[in-house]
Amino acid sequence: MAYTLEDEFGDIIGKARRGQNLSQGETAAAAGITEAELARMEQYTLKPTETQVFRLAEALNLNGDKLLDIATEQWEPEPQTDEANLEVVTISAPVGGWPVNAYLLICKATNDTAIIDTAAHPELILEQLDARNVNPAAILLTHAHGDHTNGLPKLQTETGCHTYIHKNEPKPQSKSTLREVVHGDVLSVGELIVTVVNTPGHTTGGCSFLAQNVAFVGDAIFAGSVGGPNISYQDEIESVRDNILSLPDTVRLFPGHGPSTTVGEEKRHNPFF
Ligand SMILES: [Fe+2]
């Protein structure tokens, strides 16, 4: 089976290095390898030895044991299991050659459904809404990057839903007035209570949506990695640690890219934490 994680060893060390404003030269020197070797590792063309994994982990403030498990493809999160009164449908579509996830969060009691992000393919989402005969109730955006929000106007026109996005996030093209949310705000989707949680760092106003035992985390955290820390590495690490990894271990995380995971799995296996 192909290794399914969104990020490989090379992505992880590249994100950690850039996030901490370290050059390839500085990092390579600290880890006792050449700059050319580090560049090849970040490009996936050179596999590190076990010793190199631990040295790089130390140079980049990552957890060496967890990083080694990913470098040697020893860990993948357990697959999604059923939840009692809600259903999560993953809609994965390629954007620029790379898969992006949008989700449906369905209240089983009422069939009311939140659409989380657009994966830039609103027609795939509309097909799923039709096929399942559910009631679109809201569009929730984890962040404004085009691979997660392109096609929003079509989705708004077809569903008539209000769209919610964090107050601090740049705003994507929209057909209707966007409704701004902040940390701690509560929305309802049928009988489900959805809480807004701050997870900035990848973007200025990136946020996650928590509903009972599931959380939609956008590009804040991936299984075994984090999203690119474009705005602030420190904010990304701290907000995920404080607002996501503080949730119960059983909470299942649905990221904007790659497979779903759980809080417990990430605490045990994510080298950034
Ligand atoms: Fe993003």
Side-chain angles (χ1 to χ4, degrees), residues 143 145 147-148 202-203 219 230 257:
H143 65 300
H145 283 164
D147 54 339
H148 303 270
H202 176 68
T203 59
D219 290 358
N230 306 321
H257 304 270

Side-chain angles (χ1 to χ4, degrees), residues 49-263:
T49 65
E50 192 174 319
T51 305
Q52 289 168 340
V53 169
F54 281 104
R55 283 189 185 158
L56 278 164
E58 196 176 339
L60 294 169
N61 300 307
L62 297 169
N63 180 294
D65 291 317
K66 297 174 183 176
L67 187 60
L68 182 64
D69 277 352
I70 292 178
T72 52
E73 305 192 354
Q74 294 300 307
W75 166 73
E76 283 180 273
E78 294 291 322
Q80 181 181 352
T81 50
D82 288 342
E83 302 286 337
N85 52 352
L86 61 82
E87 184 184 359
V88 175
V89 178
T90 302
I91 298 160
S92 193
V95 178
W98 301 99
V100 182
N101 299 329
Y103 296 99
L104 302 182
L105 168 66
I106 303 170
C107 170
K108 285 185 184 173
T110 64
N111 268 346
D112 285 325
T113 298
I115 301 159
I116 295 105
D117 294 337
T118 72
H121 285 73
E123 62 286 350
L124 293 181
I125 294 171
L126 293 167
E127 272 172 29
Q128 284 292 326
L129 292 168
D130 265 0
R132 288 161 194 278
N133 205 17
V134 293
N135 322 316
I139 301 169
L140 313 180
L141 300 176
T142 59
H143 65 300
H145 283 164
D147 54 339
H148 303 270
T149 59
N150 286 352
L152 177 63
K154 181 176 174 70
L155 214 47
Q156 290 169 323
T157 303
E158 298 288 329
T159 64
C161 287
H162 291 304
T163 304
Y164 298 83
I165 187 167
H166 197 281
K167 182 172 180 281
N168 296 344
E169 185 68 356
K171 302 300 182 284
Q173 196 194 353
S174 176
K175 190 104 181 156
S176 55
T177 307
L178 295 164
R179 301 199 162 190
E180 294 187 336
V181 293
V182 296
H183 184 78
D185 278 356
V186 170
L187 308 166
S188 55
V189 177
E191 295 177 2
L192 303 174
I193 302 296
V194 179
T195 307
V196 178
V197 172
N198 275 359
T199 43
H202 176 68
T203 59
T204 51
C207 70
S208 299
F209 298 98
L210 172 67
Q212 294 176 182
N213 220 33
V214 301
F216 301 90
V217 294
D219 290 358
I221 178 171
F222 300 151
S225 188
V226 294
N230 306 321
I231 303 299
S232 164
Y233 185 73
Q234 194 181 346
D235 284 355
E236 183 168 64
I237 298 296
E238 289 181 1
S239 67
V240 168
R241 188 190 60 208
D242 296 348
N243 295 339
I244 299 294
L245 298 186
S246 59
L247 297 168
D249 280 4
T250 52
V251 171
R252 182 156 285 275
L253 308 177
F254 292 90
H257 304 270
S260 71
T261 181
T262 63
V263 167

